[in-house]
Amino acid sequence: MRIYHPGSLRVTGLLLATLLLAPPALSQDTDPATGLVIAEGWQVVSANCTVCHSAKLVTQNSGSRNHWQGLIRWMQDTQGLWAFTPEMETTILDYLSAHYGPKEGARRPPLAPSLLPTNPYKQGDTAPGTS
């Protein structure tokens, strides 16, 4: 059994809190108000996207150009987002795919079937309704 000095736990806790709460080091300039990367198109994205939601919803996500375009279409079809001119949509998609594109290694690879737990609901090898 290890015995920790109460002071060492406070220091460890403070260090951990500092590491977890400190903003990540960014290699690109970001707008202090939104957190968006300052690059061509960022003001168009800020002006159009933050009308309905926080820029944090953009900055914490990532995806391909098709993914972002799908999100725009979903927002237009279901959330009341207005139609963009083709030029404005191109600017938005160029910016999002360049600065919030797919992240390498952001998702773990799928587990091998041998590592998955047994499915308690599986009904043998026959399809329901067949014998």
Side-chain angles (χ1 to χ4, degrees), residues 43-121:
Q43 291 169 315
V44 173
V45 169
S46 180
N48 285 280
C49 298
T50 62
V51 171
C52 299
H53 56 73
S54 164
K56 188 78 161 170
L57 196 58
V58 175
T59 62
Q60 69 187 9
N61 285 288
S62 62
S64 67
R65 184 182 191 87
N66 286 339
H67 171 76
W68 286 112
Q69 186 175 43
L71 287 175
I72 288 171
R73 295 292 178 268
W74 175 80
M75 288 183 276
Q76 288 170 332
D77 293 343
T78 65
Q79 307 300 306
L81 178 62
W82 50 89
F84 297 123
T85 65
E87 297 80 18
M88 183 178 290
E89 185 167 302
T90 296
T91 299
I92 292 169
L93 291 172
D94 286 350
Y95 174 85
L96 292 174
S97 60
H99 300 285
Y100 301 98
K103 295 176 184 166
E104 191 66 33
R107 294 186 58 109
R108 66 164 175 76
L111 292 173
S114 63
L115 298 175
L116 295 173
T118 304
N119 182 348
Y121 304 105

Side-chain angles (χ1 to χ4, degrees), residues 24-46:
L26 300 174
S27 59
Q28 300 170 321
D29 288 335
T30 56
D31 174 42
T34 63
L36 292 169
V37 172
I38 297 174
E40 185 175 341
W42 80 273
Q43 291 169 315
V44 173
V45 169
S46 180

Side-chain angles (χ1 to χ4, degrees), residues 3-16:
I3 299 175
Y4 293 96
H5 184 273
S8 68
L9 288 178
R10 259 184 259 128
V11 171
T12 302
L14 287 173
L15 178 60
L16 183 59

